[in-house]
């Protein structure tokens, strides 16, 4: 993996877009004191993912944004892109994909409001993906392939553990160590997931037991309901049978009563007829009695007149 180009804009003293081309062999940057040579190295650190403002010789990360000058206003953002040649065909993450492009362009941008962006080949990426590009390469913001001013002393005086880190990085086992760390973290997570799953399993089993007894009770209730329904059916059919029998009997007694009524009506009619006839006979008798009375009265009158006539006759004599 080779450095091809570094594009700096708005970063520290580089107000304008500046392209630094790295040709084959050694590239030397010369210039007067304070012209910005170390700022180029800072730009390299920064685009590789450096997170320490102190390591970039600033108090806060925003110090990397062009601070302005007597002629120019401060910049709103700083952006650095590093173009690497991927001759070895290293596989890297770009977004969700894993691929091995021939050129890798890493971009980091920081806005004055603190918002920052990482991109690989113009695709939004994570800082982790950028750091992964340098794993096993011996390069990187934390590597010793870039030695800043005053760092030689620190390297010479490094503790054995720090030296070990350097050797591991150069030997290319950092990636495996990182993977081991990640795997151990995943194992830990899996263990806690298993523990959680066991808790869940216990909880589910507990719920299952209570659900089972609920289901048994529901089943019992269901069969009891069915029994009640069956018994209701039998009772109702008996009731219907009784009612039908009573209805039949009632119908029989109604027709008997109808017959009796018809007989009574007939009897009444015949009695009424007899009464009518008797009345006629009685009326005829009364008429007869009345005419007899009339006859009697007339005869009595005649007799009385005859008697008076007779008495007159005797007096005369
Ligand atoms: P030396 O040879 O003395 O080590 P150098 O060439 O490495 O110097 P640098 O340290 O890279 O110089 O640059 C320092 C310059 O960068 C200073 O002039 C400083 O004002 C300027 N500088 C640093 N940060 C910013 C910033 N945020 N905005 C504008 N200019 C900045």
């Amino acid at each position: 993996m080779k450095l091809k180009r570094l594009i700096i804009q708005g970063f520290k003293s580089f107000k304008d877009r500046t392209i630094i081309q790295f040709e084959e062999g050694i590239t030397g940057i010369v210039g007067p004191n304070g012209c910005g040579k170390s700022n180029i190295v800072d730009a390299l650190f920064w685009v590789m993912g450096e997170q320490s403002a102190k390591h970039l010789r600033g108090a806060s990360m925003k110090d990397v944004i062009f601070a302005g000058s007597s002629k120019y206003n401060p910049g709103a953002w700083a952006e650095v892109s590093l173009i690497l040649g991927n001759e070895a065909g290293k596989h890297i993450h770009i977004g969700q994909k894993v691929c091995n492009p021939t050129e890798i362009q890493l971009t980091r941008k920081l806005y004055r409001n603190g918002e920052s962006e990482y991109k690989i080949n113009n695709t939004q990426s994570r800082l982790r993906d950028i750091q992964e590009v340098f794993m096993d390469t011996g390069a990187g913001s934390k590597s010793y392939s870039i030695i800043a001013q005053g760092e030689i002393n620190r390297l010479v005086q490094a503790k054995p553990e720090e030296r070990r880190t350097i050797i591991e990085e150069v030997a290319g086992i950092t990636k495996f160590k990182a993977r081991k760390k990640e795997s151990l973290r995943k194992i830990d997570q899996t263990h806690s997931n298993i523990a959680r799953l066991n808790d869940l399993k216990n909880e589910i089993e507990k719920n299952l037991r209570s659900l089972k007894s609920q289901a048994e009770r529901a089943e019992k209730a269901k069969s009891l309901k069915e029994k009640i329904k069956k018994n209701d059916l039998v009772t109702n059919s008996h009731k219907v049978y009784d009612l039908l029998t009573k209805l039949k009997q009632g119908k029989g007694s109604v027709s008997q009563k109808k017959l009796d009524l018809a007989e009574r009506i007939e009897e009444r009619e015949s009695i009424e007829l007899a009464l009518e006839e008797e009345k006629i006979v009685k009326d005829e008798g009364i008429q007869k009695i009345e005419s007899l009375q009339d006859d009697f009265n007339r005869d009595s009158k005649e007799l009385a007149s005859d008697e008076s006539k007779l008495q007159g006759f005797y007096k005369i004599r």
Side-chain angles (χ1 to χ4, degrees):
M1 203 176 274
K2 281 182 186 164
L3 302 184
K4 283 192 158 182
R5 274 187 313 285
L6 186 69
I7 306 166
I8 311 171
Q9 190 171 0
F11 184 90
K12 290 207 169 181
S13 53
F14 294 90
K15 179 184 84 67
D16 298 318
R17 183 177 159 90
T18 309
I19 302 174
I20 296 160
Q21 200 78 35
F22 300 102
E23 303 295 347
E24 283 293 317
I26 298 169
T27 302
I29 300 169
V30 288
N33 285 350
C35 74
K37 301 182 293 292
S38 298
N39 288 347
I40 295 171
V41 180
D42 290 340
L44 261 177
F45 276 133
W46 193 65
V47 76
M48 285 173 168
E50 180 56 61
Q51 296 299 300
S52 157
K54 204 175 128 204
H55 198 212
L56 299 166
R57 302 179 300 146
S60 94
M61 200 47 97
K62 280 178 201 163
D63 290 341
V64 302
I65 302 170
F66 176 66
S69 65
S70 53
K71 282 190 190 167
Y72 302 105
N73 287 331
W77 46 265
E79 185 180 76
V80 177
S81 290
L82 175 64
I83 293 97
L84 302 159
N86 186 22
E87 299 78 11
K90 183 179 164 80
H91 282 82
I92 56 163
H93 278 96
I94 298 183
Q96 299 294 316
K97 288 187 201 152
V98 174
C99 53
N100 57 341
T102 50
E103 248 187 18
I104 301 170
Q105 178 172 338
L106 309 175
T107 305
R108 182 172 179 181
K109 193 168 183 177
L110 176 73
Y111 295 87
R112 211 167 265 288
N113 64 7
E115 219 174 277
S116 74
E117 279 175 7
Y118 295 96
K119 283 182 191 167
I120 299 179
N121 288 8
N122 281 324
T123 302
Q124 294 284 353
S125 302
R126 300 169 300 175
L127 168 64
R128 227 182 100 176
D129 298 330
I130 292 203
Q131 287 166 340
E132 216 178 68
V133 172
F134 297 103
M135 275 186 185
D136 297 343
T137 61
S141 68
K142 290 269 178 283
S143 81
Y144 289 85
S145 59
I146 305 171
I147 299 167
Q149 266 177 31
E151 289 260 312
I152 297 282
N153 265 354
R154 206 168 68 80
L155 192 62
V156 171
Q157 289 162 7
K159 289 179 191 161
E161 297 84 45
E162 286 174 332
R163 272 203 209 98
R164 182 191 167 135
T165 312
I166 302 164
I167 293 162
E168 279 176 354
E169 175 66 37
V170 175
I173 59 169
T174 316
K175 182 180 178 180
F176 297 109
K177 280 192 99 180
R179 281 190 188 161
K180 186 186 166 192
K181 202 175 160 191
E182 178 69 12
S183 302
L184 285 172
R185 195 188 60 76
K186 279 186 180 163
I187 288 170
D188 266 0
Q189 204 175 8
T190 309
H191 278 312
S192 60
N193 282 346
I194 289 171
R196 217 181 106 63
L197 279 175
N198 276 332
D199 286 350
L200 271 173
K201 195 182 144 215
N202 289 340
E203 189 71 20
I204 288 168
E205 275 174 359
K206 209 169 119 189
N207 287 343
L208 209 66
R209 277 199 295 278
S210 113
L211 280 175
K212 209 176 158 188
S213 75
Q214 275 180 37
E216 277 169 6
R217 279 207 298 276
E219 198 62 44
K220 214 173 179 180
K222 196 181 155 196
S223 77
L224 279 174
K225 266 185 190 167
E226 272 169 15
K227 244 183 197 172
I228 290 169
K229 208 172 155 189
K230 241 185 201 172
N231 289 341
D232 276 354
L233 213 67
V234 172
T235 315
N236 286 339
S237 63
H238 278 297
K239 277 182 187 167
V240 168
Y241 178 77
D242 286 349
L243 284 173
L244 281 173
T245 315
K246 274 183 187 167
L247 186 72
K248 210 176 158 187
Q249 285 169 353
K251 269 184 182 172
S253 94
V254 165
S255 22
Q256 187 54 51
K257 294 274 184 299
K258 271 183 184 170
L259 275 176
D260 288 350
L261 185 70
E263 262 178 40
R264 297 284 172 273
I265 289 169
E266 217 175 308
E267 263 177 31
R268 198 187 73 187
E269 279 173 352
S270 64
I271 287 168
E272 277 175 355
L273 203 67
L275 276 174
E276 199 65 39
E277 277 170 2
E278 266 178 35
K279 200 184 166 207
I280 292 168
V281 171
K282 189 183 142 198
D283 286 348
E284 280 175 359
I286 288 169
Q287 268 180 359
K288 231 178 200 171
I289 289 168
E290 278 174 356
S291 83
L292 282 172
Q293 186 71 44
D294 285 346
D295 286 350
F296 173 75
N297 289 342
R298 196 182 60 243
D299 287 347
S300 300
K301 256 183 190 173
E302 274 178 14
L303 188 64
S305 103
D306 285 349
E307 266 179 359
S308 70
K309 269 179 190 174
L310 197 59
Q311 277 174 0
F313 179 70
Y314 279 123
K315 271 178 190 168
I316 296 170
R317 287 186 95 203

